[in-house]
Amino acid sequence: MRVLLIVMPWDVLPLLDGGPQRPRIERQAVIREFGGLTCYEVAARVALERVPAAAELPFAWAASPYRGCEAGCRYCAARRGHRYLGLDAGGDFDSRIVVKTNLADRLRREVASPRWSGETVALGLTGDCYQPAEETYLLMPQVIRALAEAGNPFTVLTKSPLVLRDVEALREAGKLTQVRVAVSVGFVDEKVRRGVEPGAAGAQRRLDVCSALNEAGVPCEVLMAPILPLITDSADHLRATVRRAAEAGAVAVTPVVLRLPPGAREWFTAWLEREHPGLVPRYAALYGKSPTAPAEYRAGIAAQVRGLAEAYGIGRSARRWKRRRSPARQLSLV
């Protein structure tokens, strides 16, 4: 069967022949080009996906409007998924984005099923749900509305200040169900951030988002992910990150040690070889053939972060470390 592919710009719609030599996703999607970004518009057959236990996240279910992410985080465990689409887990992951245009409708049907137990849904596990493509597709307001109307709790995972665009929708949803935002800040070292999260907002910008959300009445925690062994796992690094999360008013902090499944492993290791060649043998010993660091190492990191969170008062109604913020630094909520 011949498939018609639409390639943008918006005012010119040439038709391309989707031959068998094309990647699988290109034979199934409408393609739109935005500068150097390629978006594959697809109709999702399933909205809710199981979160692997190995991810060590406090969620069992996730739904993602996007697969792939313009932030280009070298460690992203979702990179592997691009291989199943016939795309590269490296450069394609942050330049070729799958857009699930019908996600909100699929969610409505699935959470309404009598078989669905109403568990919390994490939004944005396979690609930041507030990455730049969201400015064009505007999928998140529909997703928020679908879950709120069903009374289904959800947590938004993001590194992007664009989440503030939807603060009113999130606040209204919080009147109907449990709503939380988890801003990912694994470390506050900007030199490391520029190397491994080249397209993401800086750590302080994300912490300002956390503060703005909490001040607006939307509970926001810090997902301390990932903690990079031998790079950002020192006592000083951990203390600095937890302290600044406390200053931002984070309602909780959850540590997650770096995972290196296939796809992410190759992309992260290439950076490691270039920037920290001396650590390559130590990473090989630490991870071996497993995507996760040893359990005792992860448990030690979790214990340190728990102790620091308690020391800085994270989770308490009265926080000793609330940052004094001037009006000039206050983030706009619109």
Side-chain angles (χ1 to χ4, degrees):
M1 178 180 71
R2 193 180 182 202
V3 179
L4 299 182
L5 303 178
I6 301 178
V7 181
M8 300 308 287
W10 289 95
D11 55 342
V12 181
L13 303 177
L15 300 181
L16 301 179
D17 183 16
Q21 76 279 7
R22 293 182 176 276
R24 175 184 170 191
I25 186 64
E26 292 195 2
R27 302 197 299 271
Q28 300 173 338
V30 172
I31 304 176
R32 304 193 190 273
E33 299 282 353
F34 303 93
L37 180 69
T38 301
C39 290
Y40 299 102
E41 297 178 3
V42 300
R45 291 176 292 178
V46 175
L48 294 165
E49 300 177 317
R50 276 280 187 186
V51 177
E56 297 189 322
L57 292 171
F59 313 105
W61 295 92
S64 299
Y66 306 99
R67 180 175 292 279
C69 186
E70 295 173 75
C73 299
R74 299 182 183 279
Y75 52 72
C76 185
R79 286 183 175 275
R80 184 178 187 177
H82 260 44
R83 291 180 172 177
Y84 302 125
L85 306 175
L87 300 172
D88 176 51
D92 283 350
F93 184 77
D94 50 283
S95 63
R96 297 178 180 270
I97 311 298
V98 178
V99 182
K100 302 174 186 177
T101 55
N102 68 331
L103 185 69
D105 291 337
R106 285 295 325 168
L107 271 173
R108 281 192 178 90
R109 287 195 286 270
E110 291 178 22
V111 299
S113 169
R115 293 176 295 178
W116 173 243
S117 60
E119 293 184 63
T120 297
V121 176
L123 300 175
L125 207 59
T126 64
D128 197 316
C129 46
Y130 283 102
Q131 61 183 287
E134 170 62 13
E135 295 184 67
T136 297
Y137 285 98
L138 300 172
L139 299 182
M140 280 302 292
Q142 305 169 50
V143 169
I144 291 168
R145 191 177 307 115
L147 291 169
E149 290 173 354
N152 201 102
F154 64 91
T155 297
V156 175
L157 311 178
T158 187
K159 291 184 175 77
S160 173
L162 184 59
V163 66
L164 295 178
R165 180 200 67 190
D166 292 341
V167 68
E168 189 58 37
L170 293 165
R171 187 160 46 197
E172 288 300 309
K175 298 175 182 178
L176 302 173
T177 188
Q178 185 179 52
V179 175
R180 183 172 282 202
V181 176
V183 174
S184 176
V185 185
F187 42 84
V188 293
D189 187 316
E190 275 299 291
K191 183 178 180 181
V192 176
R193 197 277 305 167
R194 288 191 294 270
V196 298
E197 300 173 343
Q204 187 55 56
R205 178 72 169 165
R206 292 180 234 165
L207 291 167
D208 284 341
V209 168
C210 177
S211 182
L213 286 167
N214 280 312
E215 290 174 8
V218 179
C220 184
E221 66 178 278
V222 166
L223 189 63
M224 205 166 155
I227 294 166
L228 307 177
L230 311 173
I231 300 174
T232 65
D233 64 346
S234 69
D236 286 345
H237 271 104
L238 297 179
R239 184 180 301 107
T241 305
V242 174
R243 175 178 58 80
R244 286 171 64 176
E247 290 173 349
V251 298
V253 59
T254 302
V256 180
V257 173
L258 174 71
R259 293 181 63 243
L260 289 177
R265 180 184 289 259
E266 297 88 334
W267 203 239
F268 181 82
T269 300
W271 172 81
L272 198 67
E273 289 172 344
R274 184 171 64 253
E275 300 296 330
H276 300 280
L279 294 182
V280 173
R282 299 180 69 183
Y283 262 76
L286 189 64
Y287 283 88
K289 296 181 179 180
S290 171
T292 59
E296 58 271 22
Y297 170 83
R298 304 197 311 273
I301 292 292
Q304 289 183 69
V305 172
R306 280 197 304 271
L308 289 166
E310 172 62 24
Y312 285 111
I314 291 179
R316 299 176 189 169
S317 57
R319 298 184 183 88
R320 292 172 293 166
W321 289 87
K322 187 167 183 178
R323 177 161 45 95
R324 294 186 183 135
R325 306 170 72 235
S326 68
R329 295 193 63 189
Q330 176 71 37
L331 279 179
S332 171
L333 297 180
V334 295

